[in-house]
Amino acid sequence: MAKPINILHPIPKDGKPFMLLPIGIYCNKELQNAAPGSLVELWQDWRHERRVLVRKCRIQINSSVFTFLAKSLYGERTRIADMLAKWREVYDVPFDESECMLIEVREPNEDEE
């Protein structure tokens, strides 16, 4: 099995296997090139779990779709400014502030781990 792609993001909650992630020349570069079925490892402080990439797409940050997803996934009070500030805090490389990646993941099967 190939080496998993590391992602700095909290483990998704049950029933909402989606994540909004920043992208850029060096930010989540491996993820941008990953194919469905790729193994990803989600890191939240010392805790980490493996998932399988189901699908991904790029979305505009300054859009109603982004706002809808951010509120659904991260809480009703989440704003674009909050997301950008959090990403600046977590990622030490520049990222695109106009576009991000939405990914869907699932738990791996026994043969995928």
Side-chain angles (χ1 to χ4, degrees), residues 5-9 20-34 56-58 61 83-103:
I5 299 167
N6 291 319
I7 299 173
L8 299 173
H9 191 279
L20 292 168
L21 298 164
I23 54 174
I25 294 173
Y26 302 107
C27 186
N28 288 319
K29 184 178 180 179
E30 289 178 318
L31 183 61
Q32 293 177 65
N33 299 321
K56 63 184 180 178
C57 70
R58 292 175 181 240
I61 290 175
M83 295 290 294
L84 293 174
K86 182 66 175 174
W87 290 344
R88 283 187 203 103
E89 183 182 305
V90 172
Y91 291 88
D92 61 350
V93 295
F95 58 86
D96 186 346
E97 293 194 18
S98 65
E99 181 174 66
C100 71
M101 186 167 291
L102 170 67
I103 69 168

Side-chain angles (χ1 to χ4, degrees), residues 102-113:
L102 170 67
I103 69 168
E104 180 183 1
V105 294
R106 64 171 173 78
E107 295 208 21
N109 300 326
E110 288 181 21
D111 60 332
E112 294 173 313
E113 290 186 54

Side-chain angles (χ1 to χ4, degrees), residues 61-63 66-67 70-71 77-89 95 97:
I61 290 175
N62 192 16
S63 69
F66 179 88
T67 302
K71 288 179 183 295
R77 295 179 183 253
T78 304
R79 301 173 307 143
I80 291 173
D82 299 332
M83 295 290 294
L84 293 174
K86 182 66 175 174
W87 290 344
R88 283 187 203 103
E89 183 182 305
F95 58 86
E97 293 194 18

Side-chain angles (χ1 to χ4, degrees), residues 26-52:
Y26 302 107
C27 186
N28 288 319
K29 184 178 180 179
E30 289 178 318
L31 183 61
Q32 293 177 65
N33 299 321
S38 296
L39 197 59
V40 297
E41 194 156 62
L42 305 170
W43 288 83
Q44 181 179 6
D45 298 321
W46 55 270
R47 185 176 166 216
H48 58 97
E49 291 186 18
R50 289 192 175 178
R51 296 288 189 270
V52 175

